[in-house]
Amino acid sequence: MVAGVAASPDGAFVPVLIAALPLGTLAITAVLLTYSLATLVLILLLVWLATWLGLRWRWAWLDRNGERLSPLILMILGLALVAGL
């Protein structure tokens, strides 16, 4: 479990976990559970928000222009990556 958290893309969490190590197993477990719960709540919130927006708003313009919009978004993301943003 600790290795999974250490391999997490969120590198800011690793110092918190390391700081809990001297406090014992209970502290490490509390930190891991808090991190896991916060991650789960955030994922559920984002999925709920995306579902709510998808059902509430009408996306006819996206249906018509999606094939033109996708390459444009990919080019913008590629330029941002090359620019180091």
Side-chain angles (χ1 to χ4, degrees):
M1 189 183 231
V2 174
V5 171
S8 171
D10 184 13
F13 175 73
V14 176
V16 175
L17 184 62
I18 292 172
L21 289 175
L23 300 175
T25 307
L26 184 62
I28 294 169
T29 304
V31 167
L32 289 172
L33 286 175
T34 302
Y35 178 76
S36 299
L37 182 63
T39 301
L40 182 63
V41 167
L42 181 62
I43 289 171
L44 290 174
L45 179 67
L46 290 174
V47 168
W48 174 82
L49 181 64
T51 303
W52 181 78
L53 287 174
L55 294 174
R56 183 165 174 105
W57 291 354
R58 299 293 174 234
W59 298 95
W61 62 271
L62 186 58
D63 288 337
R64 288 189 310 272
N65 300 312
E67 292 180 6
R68 287 182 287 255
L69 192 59
S70 294
L72 181 63
I73 290 172
L74 290 174
M75 286 189 295
I76 291 170
L77 289 173
L79 290 173
L81 181 66
V82 169
L85 298 177

